[in-house]
Amino acid sequence: EPEVTQTPSHQVTQMGQEVILRCVPISNHLYFYWYRQILGQKVEFLVSFYNNEISEKSEIFDDQFSVERPDGSNFTLKIRSTKLEDSAMYFCASRGTSGSGYEQYFGPGTRLTVT
Amino acid sequence: LAKTTQPISMDSYEGQEVNITCSHNNIATNDYITWYQQFPSQGPRFIIQGYKTKVTNEVASLFIPADRKSSTLSLPRVSLSDTAVYYCLVGRRYSSASKIIFGSGTRLSIRP
């Protein structure tokens, strides 16, 4: 069964450093998403991406965040200057065009720890 | 997205059938009902989606009454591995953006 993969599984970084979280969506999917979940809190939407551009972004997704699809398989989330409050699980998700918009496939997540 | 209300937590025992009910009084005509499952330290997982009556797959059944103001996710003969948070979502099936707004969900704990 195809699945979304994410690397690394755990990233530790110092405050102010840049991090790039990587995702490989399911191969024939065209819609991509990033969500995050701070420990003990709800899963929060960050950004959606389609046709090589951002479709929608939340208030959390400020100028410190960016997304890119550098090639035909990867989808990345970059945080330019990390803050302590960026510590969270970051989930990538993708969906196809034929299924429901709410039928998204999530990756296992990257745990980001900012010290 | 229509507002949904579901219990904060539920407990059950292995082998039991578990029913989690979600209220969505303001559901719109074009809205579908979707359920996700999230195990600890993992990403949410799509379980089931429906519009009316009953939908069944290998994981669960979804019961939706005629007025669609509520829905019930039914997990047959649960095991310890069904311990997870279950989220009920209501929204248009083919919304172009389709961002998912997760609530707090129902934390289901299964005991031996």
Side-chain angles (χ1 to χ4, degrees):
Chain A
E1 183 179 326
E3 58 183 21
V4 175
T5 59
Q6 292 186 242
T7 54
S9 57
H10 191 188
Q11 173 92 46
V12 181
T13 190
Q14 289 190 327
M15 195 166 53
Q17 295 297 302
E18 174 184 286
V19 295
I20 297 176
L21 310 183
R22 302 181 192 279
C23 168
V24 179
I26 293 173
S27 63
N28 61 346
H29 285 184
L30 297 179
Y31 294 86
F32 312 114
Y33 307 82
W34 283 101
Y35 295 81
R36 80 173 186 189
Q37 186 173 33
I38 296 171
L39 186 64
Q41 299 189 22
K42 299 177 185 178
V43 177
E44 301 174 289
F45 167 77
L46 293 179
V47 66
S48 59
F49 190 88
Y50 172 71
N51 201 25
N52 284 321
E53 61 182 25
I54 291 174
S55 305
E56 188 172 0
K57 57 185 180 179
S58 71
E59 291 180 355
I60 302 168
F61 195 89
D62 61 21
D63 292 344
Q64 293 301 311
F65 291 86
S66 63
V67 289
E68 191 178 30
R69 187 153 164 81
D71 53 44
S73 60
N74 291 283
F75 180 49
T76 62
L77 174 70
K78 181 193 290 186
I79 309 175
R80 291 192 182 81
S81 178
T82 50
K83 307 183 185 73
L84 294 176
E85 54 264 37
D86 292 327
S87 294
M89 282 288 286
Y90 287 80
F91 298 109
C92 172
S94 69
R95 72 171 176 97
T97 54
S98 58
S100 157
Y102 295 111
E103 187 175 345
Q104 297 178 15
Y105 292 83
F106 284 72
T110 292
R111 181 175 300 282
L112 177 65
T113 302
V114 182
T115 60
Chain B
L1 291 175
K3 179 174 165 52
T4 60
T5 303
Q6 51 184 124
I8 295 173
S9 64
M10 292 181 68
D11 295 326
S12 189
Y13 293 91
E14 282 191 295
Q16 299 294 305
E17 178 184 78
V18 171
N19 296 309
I20 305 174
T21 297
C22 178
S23 297
H24 27 81
N25 290 320
N26 296 322
I27 190 168
T29 303
N30 295 329
D31 286 344
Y32 277 68
I33 300 151
T34 307
W35 285 80
Y36 274 79
Q37 173 191 57
Q38 185 180 25
F39 297 118
S41 298
Q42 294 188 30
R45 173 191 169 211
F46 172 89
I47 301 177
I48 198 165
Q49 183 180 76
Y51 183 80
K52 60 181 180 180
T53 62
K54 177 183 174 182
V55 180
T56 296
N57 62 22
E58 65 278 4
V59 176
S61 294
L62 179 59
F63 297 92
I64 306 167
D67 67 3
R68 304 198 329 121
K69 293 184 183 300
S70 67
S71 58
T72 298
L73 177 74
S74 181
L75 305 172
R77 293 199 300 278
V78 294
S79 64
L80 295 176
S81 62
D82 291 311
T83 294
V85 179
Y86 292 82
Y87 301 97
C88 168
L89 313 168
V90 172
R92 284 172 55 196
R93 188 177 188 197
Y94 294 111
S95 171
S96 58
S98 299
K99 65 182 180 186
I100 296 177
I101 304 298
F102 288 92
S104 300
T106 296
R107 188 171 300 276
L108 176 65
S109 298
I110 306 299
R111 303 164 191 240

